Amino acid sequence: MKFSEKWLRSWVNPALDQVALAEQLSMAGLEVDDVTPVAEAFSKVVVGEVTKCWQHPDADKLQVTEVNIGEDEPATIVCGAPNCRLGLKVAVATIGAVLPGDFKIKKAKLRGQPSHGMLCSSSELGLNDDHDGIIELPQDAPVGMDYREYLELNDVTFDVDLTPNRADCLGLRGIAREVGVLNRLAVTEPEIAPVAAAHSDERAIVLDAPEACPRYLGRVLHNVNVKAVSPLWLTERLRRSGIRSIDPVVDVTNYVLIELGHPMHAFDNEKLSGAVHVRMANADEKLTLLDGNEVTLQDDVLVIADEEKPLAMAGIFGGEGSGVTEESTSIFLESAFFAPDAIAGRARRFGLHTDASHRYERGVDPELQRTAMERATQLILDICGGEAGPIVQAKEDRFIPQAQQVTLRQERLNKVLGIALDANEVTEILERLGFGVSFADGIWQVTVPTFRFDISIEEDLIEEVARIYGYHRIQAAAPAAQLRMVPRKEAQVSTTKLKRLLIDRGYQEAITYSFVDPKHQALLFNEAAALTLPFPISVEMSSMRVSLWPGLLGAVAHNQKRQQQSLAFCETGLRFVPDENDAENGVRQEPMIGGVRAGKAFAEHWQEGERAVDFYDVKGDVEALLALTGEAESYTFVADSHPALHPGQSAAIFKNGKCVGYVGAVHPQFEKKLGLNGRTYVFELELAAIQQRALPQARPVSKYPSIRRDLAIVVPTQLAAGEVLKAIENIGVNHLVGLNLFDVYEGSGVADGYRSLALSLTLQHPERTLEDQEINTAVKAVVDMLTNEFGATLRE
């Protein structure tokens, strides 16, 4: 939004210089991007009048003039402008003048004729790019007056960058209202009196899309002289707002746009047929715009049309076939309220961005249409003459936005701003903003004016109070917080600690999708029901995972295809198991921790050689996890079958008789189907089963010697060594502090179907040295239990 400082000060004139005014606007939320002079620097240019004019004797395109510049003698000046003529008021650069570009005017001779100055065009004074001729000033321009003073060129243009919610300030009226509020000054608006109808001609208006256009005003003006010249004050204000003068009718509608913030459009009344319809376009309907481009409209584009054809894209761009030209004598002037949703996005669709669409997309005051119509009518009649007809209005009240009621609580206001404001001051601020206000019991009931369509909730009012009160007046206060230690149970093993242990053992954490390929999941879990998504991202991601394995195995396959030879991934996340007992969702979500290893057990090394990952590597990783609980003895590995695992290399993990996970090699029949290269080992555990740990109990370290006894027992081959160790632990041998399996032997000296297990028993008393009899008794208890329970015999 661009406007000149002097124009703004004609509405409201605060006791601030331009720098302070720009700062004030920016601090109030109307950010001033730039402040630029309205004209380049020049000096000694005055208003003159051509008193004599004759053809240059030696040049066909030059004229010799005598110009009255308010001095004793007229100035003789040679001029080549085609519009130079007797009696014309002009801008004269006198001897010694300095024009933009450091161009100095001196006495000269042009083709033998003396020239004591220059008659200036707008481009030569740096006002615009008009090179067509010299400036033509009104006949009442005072001869000899400094041209800068005459046009008030010691002025600046403010360029305000408005946020989308402040469309009420897309007009000088809104900016002036803000300046008045900020400085507690009254705003002097131009007098806009109703224009009496001089004839009865009118054109009917039909709202075929009232939800998109609930109010439309039209007025017929006859005997309008479009060839009239727009007054200098009007074109100057437009120029300083970044708008080029076109013709008086267009200039007036643009002037109302900048002054009131309300777009308008004028049609050639003689080119309209029947009633004016505001309707949605027909599919593939054609319209040639004012710029000559033809567009194909869709049925969601609002148009202004007559009985036969579309005339304009409503709120965006006029049509060429109905536009006002120099030959027009009767015009139809429109002023309408279009719903923002009906305009938003339509201009960009056709590669357009107009001043009208910019405002309608953000919102226009739904009560401003008649005021804009009267203002434009008044200006057109003053400039172009003519007679105005009655204003015809079509409206649908149910679609016109109504004034909103918003409640503001004093307690909430003070809490958000961090300061306690006086209730009377808040009331005054809201009233100065144009709101209707009543206050009782700490609550303001606020009626929002129609031009503030951005105000709808309590926080909007708080923002208004804050910016008018002044952000700089709100003291900064450092936030205070009561810091407390977050309670953390020592017996809880965090997920982070579990993952860190695996990372320390060479794993990399992976995060895979919860959605998996149903085909791959069915391979691994042929008996498990899966939850199928009704609207999946893709077919390959249409099932919720029942295990972490599908995602991890997919990551292994992906990396193996890229020549990665040693892979170890771990992941924590949810698995989704259908559960009819869950009445709310029908699915049970269980947090799990899983891992996968494939390829080499460790990087290639000159001393270690190469070895592929095996079952015991992964089992060792799982045992390390279980050791964090401090009660690894409560977990047991039991050979078991799983549909996804190799029958001979898989084990279920039990805790106190409940299965809490699995470890093993992926079944060979799935390796190719899953894209795996070589043997791959996986594990998965319920997080809840390994996140509670037994707290250590401190005891004195025994200072007495420990005694070790080794046993070699012969047991059936199918008997797991773990069962033997577990049985020894369970009988509670006195003073047994260490138990270890250090050798397994099958071969000569041991019968077929049997093997020898070498066990070490470490005994130690905390308070004295053990006697031989106590040691022998403990060893005998172990041997007797093994003989009775497993049929074990001591190896000779």
Side-chain angles (χ1 to χ4, degrees):
M1 170 67 186
K2 291 184 178 181
F3 56 90
S4 83
E5 181 188 8
K6 288 188 179 296
W7 191 8
L8 173 63
R9 291 185 183 275
S10 70
W11 286 66
V12 58
N13 190 11
L16 302 172
D17 61 22
Q18 60 188 225
V19 175
L21 180 57
E23 174 70 14
Q24 185 182 66
L25 287 172
S26 295
M27 290 302 296
L30 311 179
E31 184 178 357
V32 178
D33 272 356
D34 199 8
V35 178
T36 56
V38 300
E40 296 185 41
F42 60 83
S43 61
K44 300 191 73 173
V45 178
V46 300
V47 176
E49 181 179 9
V50 179
T51 56
K52 291 184 180 180
C53 184
W54 65 92
Q55 182 67 41
H56 191 290
D58 296 323
D60 294 337
K61 295 184 178 181
L62 298 180
Q63 299 181 72
V64 181
T65 65
E66 286 188 359
V67 183
N68 178 12
I69 56 174
E71 297 183 357
D72 295 338
E73 296 292 333
T76 301
I77 299 174
V78 177
C79 178
N83 62 329
C84 182
R85 60 188 182 275
L86 184 65
L88 184 66
K89 292 288 184 74
V90 293
V92 183
T94 59
I95 299 300
V98 179
L99 302 186
D102 198 29
F103 180 68
K104 298 178 181 179
I105 302 299
K106 302 177 182 178
K107 290 183 180 181
K109 282 189 176 182
L110 297 177
R111 298 289 183 93
Q113 294 293 321
S115 183
H116 301 160
M118 185 175 74
L119 304 186
C120 301
S121 67
S122 294
S123 62
E124 288 165 337
L125 296 181
L127 300 178
N128 56 41
D129 296 329
D130 186 4
H131 300 273
D132 292 340
I134 57 176
I135 297 171
E136 298 186 18
L137 298 178
Q139 286 303 305
D140 60 356
V143 173
M145 185 176 184
D146 184 277
Y147 188 69
R148 293 191 72 90
E149 294 182 11
Y150 173 67
L151 274 190
E152 297 183 334
L153 294 178
N154 297 319
D155 187 13
V156 294
T157 292
F158 283 80
D159 187 356
V160 177
D161 184 15
L162 296 171
T163 52
N165 65 310
R166 292 310 307 271
D168 61 298
C169 290
L170 283 170
L172 192 69
R173 185 190 201 192
I175 298 289
R177 185 166 49 224
E178 286 288 305
V179 174
V181 169
L182 293 169
N183 295 281
R184 290 182 167 86
L185 296 175
V187 177
T188 304
E189 298 191 16
E191 182 180 352
I192 303 176
V195 177
H199 63 81
S200 59
D201 290 351
E202 58 184 44
R203 191 172 292 279
I205 299 169
V206 180
L207 300 180
D208 294 318
E211 66 283 356
C213 176
R215 190 196 299 274
Y216 189 96
L217 281 67
R219 185 176 223 170
V220 176
L221 279 66
H222 288 321
N223 300 321
V224 175
N225 178 19
V226 182
K227 295 180 182 179
V229 178
S230 296
L232 188 60
W233 65 266
L234 174 60
T235 58
E236 265 300 294
R237 285 183 172 177
L238 291 178
R239 181 185 71 82
R240 298 176 195 191
S241 300
I243 298 177
R244 181 174 58 89
S245 175
I246 298 176
D247 63 53
V249 174
V250 175
D251 289 350
V252 166
T253 57
N254 284 334
Y255 184 82
V256 173
L257 174 86
I258 298 299
E259 183 182 56
L260 302 181
H262 195 290
M264 298 186 68
H265 188 65
F267 300 95
D268 188 326
N269 189 55
E270 301 298 331
K271 298 176 182 177
L272 307 186
S273 175
V276 171
H277 290 260
V278 186
R279 61 173 174 82
M280 306 309 293
N282 299 320
D284 299 327
E285 193 169 19
K286 306 289 186 181
L287 174 64
T288 302
L289 303 177
L290 284 170
D291 59 4
N293 292 322
E294 184 181 72
V295 294
T296 301
L297 306 175
Q298 289 79 43
D299 57 8
D300 64 341
V301 176
L302 188 67
V303 297
I304 311 300
D306 59 15
E307 301 288 355
E308 299 176 352
K309 59 189 178 301
L311 306 174
M313 293 173 64
I316 300 176
F317 218 139
E320 185 179 57
S322 59
V324 175
T325 65
E326 289 187 353
E327 287 71 36
S328 301
T329 58
S330 177
I331 66 173
F332 177 75
L333 196 61
E334 75 160 20
S335 177
F337 171 73
F338 301 117
D341 289 345
I343 307 300
R346 309 310 192 274
R348 286 187 292 276
R349 182 187 302 173
F350 297 98
L352 302 172
H353 181 78
T354 63
D355 290 327
S357 68
H358 184 78
R359 285 161 174 78
Y360 277 124
E361 286 177 346
R362 287 156 178 76
V364 169
D365 184 355
E367 301 296 332
L368 190 58
Q369 288 69 50
R370 184 173 291 274
T371 302
M373 177 66 77
E374 297 289 8
R375 180 62 164 162
T377 303
Q378 182 186 71
L379 292 172
I380 290 174
L381 297 185
D382 289 346
I383 298 169
C384 303
E387 301 87 34
I391 296 177
V392 178
Q393 177 179 233
K395 67 174 182 175
E396 282 284 352
D397 289 331
R398 58 198 175 105
F399 295 116
I400 298 176
Q402 302 300 312
Q404 294 196 59
Q405 299 288 330
V406 182
T407 298
L408 174 60
R409 296 165 293 168
Q410 188 174 24
E411 180 183 4
R412 175 66 174 165
L413 173 68
N414 294 340
K415 180 178 180 180
V416 172
L417 297 186
I419 58 174
L421 294 181
D422 182 71
N424 293 329
E425 185 173 9
V426 174
T427 301
E428 181 195 359
I429 289 174
L430 295 174
E431 288 177 343
R432 284 192 284 124
L433 284 166
F435 299 151
V437 185
S438 64
F439 178 73
D441 300 327
I443 297 176
W444 286 275
Q445 297 295 339
V446 180
T447 302
V448 182
T450 56
F451 60 81
R452 288 306 302 272
F453 31 80
D454 59 310
I455 305 295
S456 59
I457 59 176
E458 186 176 33
E459 284 69 20
D460 294 332
L461 292 177
I462 294 174
E463 178 187 0
E464 290 300 296
V465 172
R467 69 184 190 85
I468 300 303
Y469 178 79
Y471 296 118
H472 62 285
R473 296 175 61 190
I474 301 175
Q475 296 299 318
Q482 298 298 326
L483 300 180
R484 293 180 296 176
M485 294 295 291
V486 177
R488 184 174 179 181
K489 296 181 180 179
E490 188 178 359
Q492 182 77 21
V493 181
S494 69
T495 303
T496 301
K497 188 170 184 178
L498 296 171
K499 291 189 291 186
R500 188 173 295 144
L501 180 141
L502 292 174
I503 292 170
D504 291 343
R505 296 178 70 90
Y507 284 76
Q508 295 185 33
E509 184 180 2
I511 300 175
T512 64
Y513 285 106
S514 298
F515 321 123
V516 297
D517 190 331
K519 295 180 181 178
H520 289 172
Q521 184 156 268
L523 285 175
L524 299 172
F525 304 93
N526 55 8
E527 297 179 358
L531 183 66
T532 302
L533 299 175
F535 304 104
I537 299 174
S538 66
V539 176
E540 291 76 17
M541 303 177 70
S542 59
S543 284
M544 300 298 290
R545 65 187 180 193
V546 297
S547 168
L548 303 180
W549 290 347
L552 291 172
L553 292 174
V556 169
H558 178 86
N559 282 273
Q560 285 181 336
K561 292 175 182 176
R562 287 155 180 80
Q563 293 81 46
Q564 299 302 308
Q565 298 180 352
S566 181
L567 298 169
F569 297 132
C570 65
E571 181 178 11
T572 58
L574 296 175
R575 70 176 179 184
F576 304 87
V577 182
D579 187 355
E580 296 180 356
N581 296 324
D582 190 316
E584 183 177 355
N585 300 313
V587 61
R588 187 173 71 254
Q589 302 183 42
E590 297 178 340
M592 307 293 290
I593 183 169
V596 59
R597 291 188 67 173
K600 296 180 180 179
F602 41 77
E604 189 174 5
H605 190 271
W606 63 271
Q607 186 178 20
E608 300 295 337
E610 287 190 6
R611 181 176 66 81
V613 172
D614 61 22
F615 174 85
Y616 295 101
D617 290 320
V618 181
K619 182 172 180 285
D621 297 332
V622 175
E623 288 175 334
L625 287 175
L626 301 180
L628 291 177
T629 67
E631 47 182 5
E633 67 279 358
S634 62
Y635 298 87
T636 56
F637 291 80
V638 178
D640 197 1
S641 61
H642 186 285
L645 302 179
H646 191 295
Q649 297 188 44
S650 63
I653 304 168
F654 286 85
K655 179 182 182 181
N656 299 326
K658 179 189 174 185
C659 181
V660 296
Y662 281 91
V663 60
V666 176
H667 201 295
Q669 66 177 340
F670 302 141
E671 291 175 354
K672 185 175 182 181
K673 296 177 182 179
L674 296 174
L676 301 174
N677 182 16
R679 189 60 52 88
T680 305
Y681 296 87
V682 294
F683 71 86
E684 187 173 42
L685 293 163
E686 295 178 9
L687 270 175
I690 61 172
Q691 287 193 296
Q692 291 295 323
R693 67 173 178 173
L695 296 179
Q697 300 296 323
R699 298 177 184 173
V701 177
S702 177
K703 60 183 179 180
Y704 298 97
S706 60
I707 306 299
R708 170 171 168 163
R709 292 288 185 268
D710 293 342
L711 296 175
I713 61 173
V714 178
V715 295
T717 303
Q718 66 270 19
L719 178 63
E723 294 185 40
V724 174
L725 297 176
K726 181 68 69 176
I728 295 174
E729 292 172 352
N730 289 339
I731 65 172
V733 177
N734 289 336
H735 315 307
L736 180 66
V737 295
L739 174 64
N740 185 42
L741 171 69
F742 64 87
D743 185 51
V744 178
Y745 173 75
E746 294 182 37
S748 177
V750 177
D752 292 341
Y754 289 84
R755 61 180 174 177
S756 171
L757 302 180
L759 307 172
S760 68
L761 306 177
T762 303
L763 298 103
Q764 185 179 33
H765 197 285
E767 299 176 352
R768 59 182 174 82
T769 301
L770 288 173
E771 297 180 358
D772 289 344
Q773 182 179 354
E774 294 176 297
I775 297 171
N776 294 334
T777 300
V779 173
K780 183 176 184 304
V782 171
V783 173
D784 291 344
M785 181 276 297
L786 294 177
T787 301
N788 296 332
E789 188 165 341
F790 301 113
T793 60
L794 290 174
R795 181 181 172 191
E796 296 179 357

